Amino acid sequence: MRDTGIMTTATPPRLPRATDGARLGTALTRRAAIDAATQAYLRGEAVDMSALAAHLGIGRSTLYRLVGNRDDLLAVVLAEATERTFRRAAAGATAEGGIDRVLDVINRFMHAVIDAGPLQTLCQHEPLLFIRLALLPGPVEQTAAGLIAEMLHAEITAGRLETSLPATTLSQAIVRMCDAHLYAPLLGGTEPETDTALDLVAALLSHLNRSANNLTTR
């Protein structure tokens, strides 16, 4: 079965009933809107704010108050899908630790993204929207950087990786480095350049690992 990757979930959120909007509190109504938008996205459908408001049984103005504009809502949908995909990649990684594990997880994540059917649909229909949401500072980039920082911190704490840079700084560099090559087709390239991205991450981590070791031995 093809992994639909970034924009899929092992347990799809329940599609809320139209009456939910009237009965749920603000936080749960926001959750219902995000879940409904996620379902539409996973079906390869455009997220239409008017249709979504009608489905939830609330007005457009209420929907906008709950989730912001369409870009804001889709950013949350993509950010949550990014976390699901990354954690699945991490769970499936077989490398024992250190640089090898980091590369294994990132490799699995990038290939899940490439195989993601809903993501391919979005990029085909609204490429500029995806570039704006995924490649510029915002929830998607912040989520990816936070997850990588979490992974780096775990490896550092376990003594399997050393770095002369903070995990948060390093994770941001890795995200931008990988995004530029993973989404190369959207930026004028022909194919995703995952091998190049992995080579660059490996070189960066190896260099920082050596630098940290040199500092501790002086």
Side-chain angles (χ1 to χ4, degrees):
M1 180 181 295
R2 187 177 70 172
D3 183 356
T4 53
I6 185 170
M7 309 325 143
T8 189
T9 174
T11 306
R14 179 184 65 84
L15 191 61
R17 297 184 298 273
T19 55
D20 286 348
R23 292 190 283 107
L24 298 178
T26 300
L28 291 179
T29 304
R30 173 180 166 80
R31 183 69 255 167
I34 294 170
D35 288 349
T38 298
Q39 288 283 14
Y41 180 81
L42 293 174
R43 293 193 299 267
E45 301 171 0
V47 175
D48 181 275
M49 298 297 276
S50 296
L52 182 59
H55 179 80
L56 293 169
I58 58 179
R60 277 173 55 93
S61 60
T62 299
L63 179 61
Y64 278 94
R65 283 198 301 273
L66 289 170
V67 298
N69 60 30
R70 182 172 182 263
D71 282 13
D72 295 332
L73 176 57
L74 283 172
V76 173
V77 170
L78 294 180
E80 291 187 354
T82 294
E83 179 166 1
R84 289 193 298 271
T85 302
F86 187 91
R87 294 201 183 283
R88 190 164 57 251
T94 57
E96 292 185 0
I99 294 176
D100 288 342
R101 174 169 175 78
V102 173
L103 294 176
D104 189 1
V105 174
I106 292 175
N107 180 52
R108 289 170 183 271
F109 174 78
M110 288 195 296
H111 281 90
V113 170
I114 291 170
D115 290 339
L119 178 60
Q120 293 171 3
T121 299
L122 176 64
C123 290
Q124 289 169 1
H125 294 167
E126 301 185 77
L128 295 181
L129 171 66
F130 180 77
I131 290 174
R132 188 165 66 249
L133 296 182
L135 303 186
L136 296 179
V140 177
E141 183 185 85
Q142 291 167 5
T143 297
L147 290 164
I148 292 177
E150 179 184 299
M151 174 174 62
L152 293 173
H153 182 71
E155 295 303 310
I156 293 168
T157 301
R160 295 187 292 260
L161 177 67
E162 293 187 37
T163 172
S164 55
L165 288 177
T168 52
T169 302
L170 181 54
S171 68
Q172 291 170 358
I174 290 174
V175 166
R176 291 176 182 139
M177 195 184 310
C178 289
D179 281 355
H181 293 85
L182 174 60
Y183 301 117
L186 293 175
L187 302 174
T190 57
E191 298 290 338
E193 301 167 354
T194 56
D195 288 343
T196 300
L198 291 171
D199 287 345
L200 289 170
V201 173
L204 176 60
L205 292 177
S206 296
H207 172 73
L208 293 174
N209 198 53
R210 286 194 301 270
S211 297
N213 287 329
N214 288 338
L215 288 173
T216 57
T217 56
R218 287 179 182 175

